[in-house]
Amino acid sequence: YLNKIPFAKKFFYFQTFYKPLEIISGDIYSLRIIKNNKIFLFLMDVKEKGIPASITASSTTTFLNYLIDILLKIKESLYTYKDYFKFLIKEFLRYIKTYLLEDEALCILFLLMDLKNNKVLIANFGIPSIYIIKDSNLKRILPQNLPILTSTETFKINSLALSDIDKIIIASDGILSCKMKNSKLYIEDFEKDLLNSSYLNEWRNLFEKKVERISDDITLIYINSCKIDGFFRKEFKIKSDLAEIDKFLSQVYRRLKKSKYFNFLAPKIVTILNEILLNAHEHGTLEISSLQKEKKIIEGSYENFLQQLQRQQQIIIKFVLSLSKKELYIIVEDKGKGFKKSLIENTLERTFSGFGLKIIKHLCKDFFFNKKGNTIVVIVDIKRK
């Protein structure tokens, strides 16, 4: 929701872990950025299986996104964030009850983060408890409402202060019912693993090491906070050019190798920087699409293609070192048009274009992009192991 990544100020970023049991799924989620730093999301778990569940989930998502599109056109002065939230839920109930059979139930969770008013609103209809983490303390927020039935008329809403939250974790019940290698259900270890991990990747590693079999669709929405601050901060501006990038990487490597405390990090940091800067140069400055890159690599003409597209633009690189958190923040901004999150996810599946992001993901604690998609923040562990 931010185009400018702030320093020394708490903000949130959003990640998901989605693993359907089959090609079609009864789990579905949506995250939408709304006016004035508001984020609306929902997670739905349709209890039927196969095609009927998928049809219900997709048609419901279409309706909710349609409602949001309508509200985005209305002047914000005409409604409060609570009015907005209640309107969405009431209209959804009116819609879905015309499709539900008498013995059917629908589990869904709605959440609205209002960053302007420092509030989170939650209406949970039968989705497992939400987990709130603050200062390494975990709190469960139980569902306030039963799953939606044809008889559902009223509902309750929880209101929480964002200042009391470092992380919000929302999960469908498919995660809790996974069978671990010790034959126990993962629900027994879920809370412990959330507390023993600071980032989605760390939790996912714990989850995948323990779990032997899944028996339902899996969805997890991980809302994390970040505060980029430290005793050391340095900014560089370089020309978006392959020769300049190589020169900068060589300088960084030499300085790190001479460092008494961080010389062991030189290969990791330079590898991460190499992938980030190439991404900024190719996809940001030169605006090369993933399909273009694949085609030129297959043809063997990619290097010549890059040389023909040279442009006079800069890349900005910032380093912030936090000794208290034992973390290094690397922020790289290019002057390109940026790209949408969906394109980031798609490139992770591609043969050539997603390789750099996979390397970054493997080497760092976490990474995320700004709203526009032309700035990446990478969090690197600086502890010697």
Side-chain angles (χ1 to χ4, degrees):
Y1 61 93
L2 295 171
N3 273 327
K4 190 72 174 176
I5 302 295
F7 287 106
K9 182 181 177 182
K10 180 179 174 180
F11 61 94
F12 292 88
Y13 62 100
F14 302 75
Q15 297 168 304
T16 58
F17 173 54
Y18 180 64
K19 194 169 185 177
L21 185 63
E22 300 173 358
I23 295 174
I24 51 179
S25 172
D27 274 18
I28 198 159
Y29 67 91
S30 179
L31 293 95
R32 295 287 301 272
I33 299 174
I34 302 170
K35 294 177 183 177
N36 207 5
N37 284 344
K38 294 184 181 67
I39 296 98
F40 173 79
L41 69 86
F42 69 85
L43 169 61
M44 183 182 355
D45 185 359
V46 181
K47 292 307 175 185
E48 292 90 349
K49 302 291 183 184
I51 294 175
S54 180
I55 292 172
T56 301
S58 58
S59 61
T60 302
T61 301
T62 301
F63 176 74
L64 277 168
N65 283 324
Y66 167 72
L67 276 180
I68 294 169
D69 290 339
I70 290 175
L71 284 173
L72 284 173
K73 297 175 183 177
I74 300 173
K75 288 185 178 179
E76 191 171 356
S77 59
L78 299 178
Y79 57 85
T80 67
Y81 68 100
K82 287 183 179 178
D83 293 335
Y84 189 108
F85 195 59
K86 287 178 181 177
F87 172 83
L88 282 171
I89 298 171
K90 285 180 180 178
E91 289 302 310
F92 174 77
L93 287 175
R94 187 181 301 173
Y95 167 83
I96 198 63
K97 288 192 320 185
T98 62
Y99 288 91
L100 286 175
L101 299 175
E102 221 173 292
D103 58 344
E104 277 188 310
L106 179 72
C107 295
I108 187 167
L109 179 143
F110 301 94
L111 183 145
L112 180 70
M113 289 184 71
D114 188 330
L115 297 135
K116 180 182 178 182
N117 294 292
N118 196 38
K119 291 288 184 183
V120 180
L121 299 180
I122 302 164
N124 187 351
F125 297 84
I127 293 290
S129 300
I130 291 184
Y131 293 92
I132 305 292
I133 297 176
K134 171 70 175 179
D135 298 328
S136 299
N137 294 311
L138 185 143
K139 179 182 178 182
R140 278 193 293 169
I141 307 295
L142 298 170
Q144 321 94 303
N145 307 289
L146 294 172
I148 296 173
L149 306 167
T150 54
S151 59
T152 301
E153 295 291 339
T154 60
F155 56 90
K156 295 178 181 178
I157 294 174
N158 270 353
S159 179
L160 308 172
L162 270 177
S163 55
D164 296 333
I165 296 170
D166 289 335
K167 298 179 179 64
I168 303 174
I169 296 96
I170 305 164
S172 64
D173 59 6
I175 286 180
L176 306 179
S177 60
C178 289
K179 190 175 180 181
M180 295 191 290
K181 293 173 183 177
N182 61 7
S183 298
K184 294 181 180 179
L185 295 180
Y186 184 63
I187 189 172
E188 296 190 30
D189 280 19
F190 187 42
E191 292 185 14
K192 180 177 67 177
D193 286 352
L194 288 177
L195 284 173
N196 288 336
S197 54
S198 300
Y199 300 98
L200 176 62
N201 282 345
E202 292 178 352
W203 168 82
R204 186 171 172 176
N205 288 336
L206 293 172
F207 172 80
E208 291 178 345
K209 284 177 183 177
K210 292 181 178 182
V211 168
E212 184 177 54
R213 181 170 56 85
I214 66 171
S215 56
D216 198 358
D217 303 316
I218 286 177
T219 307
L220 183 134
I221 300 172
Y222 200 104
I223 305 172
N224 209 346
S225 65
C226 184
K227 187 177 180 182
I228 300 174
D229 202 3
F231 85 101
F232 175 85
R233 187 187 300 176
K234 190 74 175 176
E235 179 177 317
F236 301 88
K237 294 180 180 178
I238 65 170
K239 183 181 174 184
S240 187
D241 173 84
L242 291 178
E244 288 294 313
I245 290 171
D246 285 343
K247 180 181 175 182
F248 179 74
L249 291 173
S250 297
Q251 290 173 343
V252 171
Y253 185 80
R254 285 197 300 270
R255 291 190 65 175
L256 283 170
K257 289 301 288 183
K258 290 179 181 178
S259 167
K260 180 179 178 181
Y261 300 103
F262 305 114
N263 56 356
F264 70 100
L265 288 169
K268 178 190 285 190
I269 290 174
V270 170
T271 302
I272 290 172
L273 264 178
N274 179 64
E275 300 302 332
I276 299 173
L277 294 175
L278 286 178
N279 182 71
H281 176 63
E282 295 173 0
H283 302 302
T285 302
L286 303 183
E287 298 178 11
I288 300 169
S289 71
S290 299
L291 289 175
Q292 278 181 306
K293 183 174 180 178
E294 284 192 19
K295 183 181 177 183
K296 295 298 180 182
I297 289 175
I298 292 169
E299 291 173 352
S301 59
Y302 187 60
E303 295 299 325
N304 290 333
F305 179 63
L306 286 180
Q307 293 300 324
Q308 294 168 9
L309 290 176
Q310 292 298 332
R311 294 174 187 166
Q312 297 298 314
Q313 288 188 15
Q314 283 187 326
I315 299 174
I316 301 169
I317 307 111
K318 301 172 185 176
F319 297 97
V320 179
L321 180 65
S322 172
L323 288 181
S324 60
K325 293 182 180 179
K326 300 292 189 293
E327 291 176 345
L328 172 70
Y329 303 93
I330 303 173
I331 303 105
V332 174
E333 176 186 348
D334 63 68
K335 299 300 180 181
K337 295 178 181 179
F339 48 90
K340 296 180 180 179
K341 183 176 182 291
S342 58
L343 296 179
I344 300 168
E345 292 172 339
N346 289 338
T347 56
L348 283 169
E349 302 301 322
R350 291 189 174 276
T351 305
F352 299 109
S353 302
F355 189 64
L357 291 180
K358 288 178 181 177
I359 291 173
I360 295 169
K361 185 177 179 180
H362 177 73
L363 292 176
C364 73
K365 276 188 169 184
D366 213 353
F367 75 92
F368 54 91
F369 290 84
N370 66 337
K371 180 182 176 183
K372 186 178 178 181
N374 69 337
T375 302
I376 183 173
V377 179
V378 179
I379 305 171
V380 182
D381 188 357
I382 62 169
K383 294 193 297 289
R384 190 185 289 272
K385 296 180 181 178

